[in-house]
Amino acid sequence: MGSAPVSEPVYVADTVTTAVKILVVGHFAVGKTTFVGTLSEIRPLRTEETMTQASELVDDLEGTPDKTTTTVAMDFGRLTLSESLVLYLFGAPGQKRFTQLWQDMLCGALGALVLTDTRRLDQSFDIMGLLEEHGMPYAVAVNQFDGAPPFPEAEIREALDLLPETPLVTCDAREPTSSAKALISLIEYLQTRTPQEQE
């Protein structure tokens, strides 16, 4: 994904009347950068830096021993859903030390897609709690890592203490169709919310 397609649409079409900001959040090393890059129709903006020995004391690499870079500000991508609607995807860094940064990113967002990993479901609690504290609606997508144990949806929903109406889907952040379905589950959920719920 280091280069963008030659036919990449650089500018938003004149027919677009609505732009929506969507956050892609989740714990460290859950696939947010990959997800945004997979769906973006433009070359994604990435702020990845090489991990150093200093980060070994604060970044848990369990389950991701091959990870060598980390997002230090955000990922940004764009996806046109229709002639009139475009989504701006903002991927937030997952480490707790960046909490203030992505709290600022909540401003103006319509909703959030929370990526999670069945090997580290507990690491999603703080992130979902922060979204709920700010009244930000969200859907949850379980990113299917190779070798990660599969669990029934009911067990994952119970483990994450999700409300019945909160969408829960599985996806492969490397695969465009799968990732798009996860994003669509969030958009459909946002469309069902009443005006009172959206305030």
Side-chain angles (χ1 to χ4, degrees), residues 81-144:
L81 284 190
S82 69
E83 289 184 354
S84 60
L85 175 63
V86 65
L87 301 183
Y88 292 113
L89 306 176
F90 287 78
Q95 299 96 314
K96 286 186 177 180
R97 63 183 180 273
F98 295 118
T99 298
Q100 182 58 56
L101 173 64
W102 75 263
Q103 277 183 305
D104 294 340
M105 291 171 65
L106 287 168
C107 182
L110 192 62
L113 183 67
V114 180
L115 293 185
T116 191
D117 177 354
T118 57
R119 298 167 297 182
R120 300 175 288 157
L121 288 176
D122 59 307
Q123 294 184 22
S124 299
F125 296 151
D126 288 344
I127 291 161
M128 292 189 302
L130 194 56
L131 292 172
E132 291 167 4
E133 180 184 326
H134 286 80
M136 180 64 59
Y138 63 88
V140 176
V142 178
N143 192 8
Q144 297 176 306

Side-chain angles (χ1 to χ4, degrees), residues 9-19 41 78 80 83 86 88:
V10 178
Y11 300 106
V12 175
D14 294 338
T15 57
V16 170
T17 58
T18 305
E41 65 194 14
R78 189 186 78 206
T80 301
E83 289 184 354
V86 65
Y88 292 113

Side-chain angles (χ1 to χ4, degrees), residues 51-66:
M51 298 177 67
T52 64
Q53 283 188 318
S55 70
E56 291 179 1
L57 300 176
V58 290
D59 294 333
D60 182 6
L61 292 177
E62 184 178 352
T64 56
D66 298 328

